[in-house]
Amino acid sequence: MIGLAAGIEMADMAWEVKCREEDMKQRALENERHAIDDARRSVDEKAQQLKVLANQSALIAGFSMVVLVESNISEEINSILLTFFGLVVAITIALMLVSTLNSTYILVAILRYDCVERSVPFDVFWRRRCEADWKVALRAFSVGVPSFMIVVALVAWVSFWNHPSLYYSASVVTAISIMLTIFWFANTQRKWGDFLLMSEARILTRGMSSAAESNEGSGRSEGDASSVDMRDSLQLSSLAIGELSESEM
């Protein structure tokens, strides 16, 4: 009887060890699936951002080219105005082409990233190989937008040069372009420009969101203190943090 009991106990222990090993293997498989899914989500997120930037830059570059080709230029137009008009159009097209080409090449590169093997983590790959070019593309787009608004203002003077109401019509277009340029710098660029250049910004907002959920039962004061500490440690702008943290939390 003693030997039978010992044999049953050993069989139970062996069964528990086998079950534990199978459980560990299953967990390892699930962790690997989660890692692959996370890598694919990261690639898809960056790909969507690059597609949007490339499409918008190409659109503005196309508009600028159409303006240059289709404008009715009078032979009596001021040579300085015409030279400045051609210069601004060329600068706008060049900036938007830089943004489009950089975004396109980065998009092709990240789509070739192996989400299964992951010899290099995608975050590391992005920071080392792609982030600098992404910043160049975004800065080129940010400068190209007000440059395009200058083109819109100048094309009015070029197109209406021989018209009797030149000064009235061209002044209206110029005033609207100036107001949109001021709005771009004062609101859109000021609010989102630096934030979009920061790779840590979204990581911070996710961390703040999860920290707020975990500390909801213990009180809001601890969550506020941790959020302030994280802001100071990463040195992110309070405007960008405030906008996204309020919408995600």
Side-chain angles (χ1 to χ4, degrees), residues 18-235:
K18 182 179 180 180
C19 292
R20 190 177 296 109
E21 291 177 352
E22 291 180 353
D23 183 61
M24 293 178 65
K25 291 180 181 179
Q26 184 64 28
R27 290 185 180 181
L29 289 174
E30 291 179 357
N31 291 335
E32 182 66 16
R33 292 195 192 99
H34 290 319
I36 294 174
D37 291 340
D38 290 340
R40 287 174 177 168
R41 276 194 296 269
S42 298
V43 171
D44 290 341
E45 179 182 352
K46 295 298 183 182
Q48 291 298 324
Q49 296 174 7
L50 292 167
K51 288 178 182 178
V52 170
L53 185 60
N55 291 337
Q56 296 300 319
S57 300
L59 188 64
I60 295 178
F63 284 154
S64 301
M65 182 63 71
V66 170
V67 167
L68 183 62
V69 173
E70 300 295 335
S71 295
N72 296 322
I73 301 176
S74 172
E75 295 180 357
E76 301 175 357
I77 192 172
N78 185 281
S79 59
I80 297 177
L81 174 62
L82 184 61
T83 302
F84 186 62
F85 171 70
L87 175 64
V88 176
V89 171
I91 291 175
T92 303
I93 295 174
L95 289 170
M96 292 304 170
L97 280 179
V98 168
S99 180
T100 300
L101 295 176
N102 270 27
S103 300
T104 302
Y105 274 78
I106 298 172
L107 178 61
V108 174
I110 66 172
L111 290 178
R112 295 179 61 183
Y113 179 79
D114 192 349
C115 297
V116 178
E117 294 295 334
R118 300 186 312 282
S119 56
V120 177
F122 180 76
D123 292 340
V124 176
F125 171 77
W126 175 263
R127 287 196 301 269
R128 292 180 180 177
R129 300 298 301 274
C130 306
E131 189 169 13
D133 292 331
W134 159 255
K135 290 181 178 180
V136 170
L138 195 59
R139 288 192 178 101
F141 181 81
S142 300
V143 177
V145 170
S147 178
F148 179 73
M149 297 311 303
I150 297 176
V151 171
V152 173
L154 289 175
V155 76
W157 292 92
V158 172
S159 299
F160 304 149
W161 184 259
N162 290 328
H163 199 277
S165 60
L166 165 67
Y167 293 102
Y168 296 105
S169 56
S171 297
V172 171
V173 177
T174 302
I176 294 175
S177 300
I178 292 174
M179 287 188 292
L180 286 177
T181 303
I182 293 174
F183 177 80
W184 168 261
F185 282 111
N187 184 73
T188 307
Q189 178 64 20
R190 175 178 170 270
K191 182 178 181 180
W192 297 110
D194 293 336
F195 176 77
L196 294 177
L197 293 173
M198 297 178 183
S199 59
E200 301 90 350
R202 185 160 180 80
I203 298 174
L204 176 65
T205 55
R206 286 176 179 172
M208 290 172 61
S209 184
S210 60
E213 291 177 358
S214 61
N215 294 332
E216 184 176 359
S218 59
R220 298 178 61 88
S221 59
E222 295 180 0
D224 295 339
S226 63
S227 300
V228 173
D229 293 340
M230 294 175 68
R231 269 185 219 178
D232 295 338
S233 63
L234 291 179
Q235 297 180 352

Side-chain angles (χ1 to χ4, degrees), residues 3-25:
L4 180 61
I8 294 174
E9 185 176 356
M10 291 180 63
D12 291 339
M13 292 178 62
W15 176 255
E16 290 179 359
V17 170
K18 182 179 180 180
C19 292
R20 190 177 296 109
E21 291 177 352
E22 291 180 353
D23 183 61
M24 293 178 65
K25 291 180 181 179

